[in-house]
Amino acid sequence: MSGCCAKSSDSVPACGSEAKIIHSDVKDYYGKKLQKSEDLQTNACTTSAKPKPAFIRKALKDVHPEVTSRYYGCGLVVPESLENCYVLDLGCGSGQDCYMLSQLVGEKGHVTGIDMTEEQLAVARKHIDYHTEKFGFKKPNVDFVQGFMELLGEAGLKDSSYDIIISNCVVNLSPDKAAVLREAYRVLKDGGEMYFSDVYSNQALTKEIREHKVLWGECLGGALWWEDLVRLAQEVGFSPPRLVTASHIAIGNKELGSIVGDYKFVSATYRLFKVPKSCPKERSQVIYNGSITNWEKFLEFDANYTFKEGDAMVVDGDAAAILRSSRFADDFMIRPVEGGAAADVGCCPAKPKEIIVNPFELAKRLEPADIKPATGGCCGTKASGCA
């Protein structure tokens, strides 16, 4: 980590001694105190607010039961267009998401999981051969590394090595979020993506909440103020975050709820892209060609844009730059909009929606009027550039 008392946000200090204590507490909580998902005191680290597509449910069924039983992730971290990609899972735990994704990247792709907890990694490594045989692969396309997500270099992960990084409700467990984002940016290839689910607060948390060991272990005490994420991501070099989904979290545990007080939390999924600085950011008209496996009819890219096959849509300059420079480049026809009007393609392009970045606003829009927030619940009610 960089220097003593460097800050990962305005509210989460990362002094060396404090960081070591937090790491130790998290390792103890997830390695020793928790033996199965049911041991969690809230379900802020287990519930996804977004239904799983059939192909993901099928992939999950092929994951070994022991791996699944030690699963503490919160969201649905399965971006599109994964074939042949090299994927890194930050805080992989027992390896459930790694084994699910290994099926989707295929034998020519690869998934690396990194975690600091020995007990979790032991479970993940124990079942490598089982999944290799189960998936019909000639050799494993998964490996697991022990280390810290703030210090990927010390774990041997090199610059520009990965097409995609995922993390499933673990960035909040880090004492230095800025270091996590810096390291993620470093190991991503140009055009690469960090696709991750996590917990966010509506304002900077108090010291009492941040220092509460159970709240931290339950993914709440270390939650970033969502505006800090937007700022930090762009300071590191990522394009502005693209919000995918969000849902409110209600604290069902009365004791923990009394400590939290009036602070609000959401679970949310964001996409961050490493767009080359040379890539133009021009408002553009795009047409999706339906070439992504499992998403042939439409591609739900984020909360702002759902691309239907063959339909023209005008997107903002940041979105256009992402599509041009990422693994999605071959899946779209992209034309800059000149003079404020879309190029003529023989039909009227759909107008882009207002860009939503605030997860609390999105959670409110998505929540049915007659349904109360779920108790707990984290992370939300061929490819160019891939090897």
Side-chain angles (χ1 to χ4, degrees):
M1 296 178 190
S2 59
C4 179
C5 296
K7 292 189 177 181
S8 62
S9 75
D10 291 337
S11 59
V12 185
C15 292
S17 59
E18 183 176 349
K20 289 180 180 179
I21 292 172
I22 292 172
H23 281 146
S24 178
D25 289 343
V26 172
K27 288 174 70 175
D28 182 68
Y29 199 74
Y30 282 86
K32 296 181 173 63
K33 291 184 180 179
L34 300 181
Q35 296 301 311
K36 55 187 182 301
S37 302
E38 290 76 14
D39 292 336
L40 289 161
Q41 296 190 38
T42 75
N43 59 349
C45 292
T46 57
T47 304
S48 172
K50 194 170 185 179
K52 297 180 178 67
F55 74 93
I56 294 177
R57 295 198 302 270
K58 181 180 182 300
L60 286 170
K61 285 182 179 179
D62 288 334
V63 177
H64 193 282
E66 184 180 9
V67 171
T68 303
S69 72
R70 295 292 296 269
Y71 171 71
Y72 309 124
C74 62
L76 186 63
V77 286
V78 188
E80 314 82 8
S81 194
L82 291 168
E83 295 97 330
N84 305 327
C85 285
Y86 274 59
V87 179
L88 173 64
D89 183 1
L90 301 179
C92 64
S94 63
Q96 174 177 286
D97 289 334
C98 289
Y99 287 122
M100 172 186 61
L101 291 170
S102 75
Q103 300 170 72
L104 302 180
V105 301
E107 284 193 90
K108 293 182 180 180
H110 191 87
V111 181
T112 296
I114 184 169
D115 203 280
M116 65 179 178
T117 309
E118 298 91 337
E119 293 85 352
Q120 288 280 71
L121 288 174
V123 175
R125 289 168 173 157
K126 177 181 176 182
H127 299 292
I128 289 178
D129 291 341
Y130 168 88
H131 291 99
T132 302
E133 181 179 353
K134 182 76 171 179
F135 304 156
F137 295 162
K138 294 180 180 179
K139 61 180 181 180
N141 69 342
V142 176
D143 71 308
F144 297 97
V145 178
Q146 186 172 1
F148 299 100
M149 55 187 166
E150 304 94 339
L151 299 167
L152 299 180
E154 291 188 3
L157 304 187
K158 299 180 180 180
D159 295 359
S160 305
S161 300
Y162 296 95
D163 302 294
I164 302 166
I165 294 174
I166 67 162
S167 78
N168 203 334
C169 210
V170 296
V171 175
N172 68 82
L173 298 174
S174 170
D176 192 345
K177 277 75 168 173
V180 174
L181 294 177
R182 283 195 300 270
E183 281 291 87
Y185 188 86
R186 179 183 65 81
V187 302
L188 277 174
K189 300 175 184 178
D190 281 348
E193 173 183 16
M194 182 174 178
Y195 187 102
F196 68 114
S197 297
D198 223 290
V199 178
Y200 299 94
S201 59
N202 64 334
Q203 56 185 310
L205 299 177
T206 64
K207 183 177 180 181
E208 179 186 14
I209 294 174
R210 287 189 284 108
E211 293 184 350
H212 194 284
K213 291 185 178 181
V214 174
L215 283 174
W216 195 285
E218 296 282 327
C219 304
L220 299 173
L224 264 181
W225 179 24
W226 72 269
E227 291 190 15
D228 277 344
L229 170 71
V230 174
R231 174 180 58 81
L232 285 171
Q234 293 178 85
E235 287 178 356
V236 165
F238 284 109
S239 60
R242 313 297 303 193
L243 178 61
V244 178
T245 189
S247 64
H248 289 108
I249 295 174
I251 312 301
N253 183 299
K254 291 184 179 179
E255 180 181 351
L256 297 180
S258 66
I259 298 170
V260 169
D262 293 331
Y263 284 86
K264 306 298 181 184
F265 297 88
V266 292
S267 57
T269 300
Y270 281 97
R271 333 181 64 138
L272 308 179
F273 285 86
K274 185 178 179 178
V275 176
K277 292 180 174 59
S278 60
C279 188
K281 297 181 179 180
E282 304 170 302
R283 185 168 175 263
S284 300
Q285 180 179 272
V286 303
I287 301 177
Y288 174 49
N289 64 22
S291 57
I292 299 177
T293 303
N294 295 310
W295 301 101
E296 291 84 358
K297 297 298 182 184
F298 67 92
L299 173 63
E300 189 176 346
F301 187 74
D302 61 15
N304 303 289
Y305 300 124
T306 295
F307 303 111
K308 295 182 180 179
E309 179 195 10
D311 285 0
M313 175 176 281
V314 175
V315 301
D316 62 271
D318 287 317
I322 288 170
L323 296 178
R324 281 194 185 95
S325 64
S326 69
R327 65 189 187 280
F328 298 106
D330 291 340
D331 304 310
F332 286 85
M333 182 178 72
I334 305 172
R335 296 181 180 179
V337 174
E338 298 179 1
D344 182 13
V345 294
C347 64
C348 296
K351 294 182 179 179
K353 299 178 181 179
E354 173 191 357
I355 303 301
I356 304 172
V357 180
N358 183 344
F360 288 88
E361 177 185 345
L362 179 61
K364 185 176 180 180
R365 292 188 186 188
L366 295 179
E367 187 176 293
D370 57 344
I371 301 294
K372 295 182 179 180
T375 302
C378 167
C379 301
T381 58
K382 78 195 188 173
S384 64
C386 295

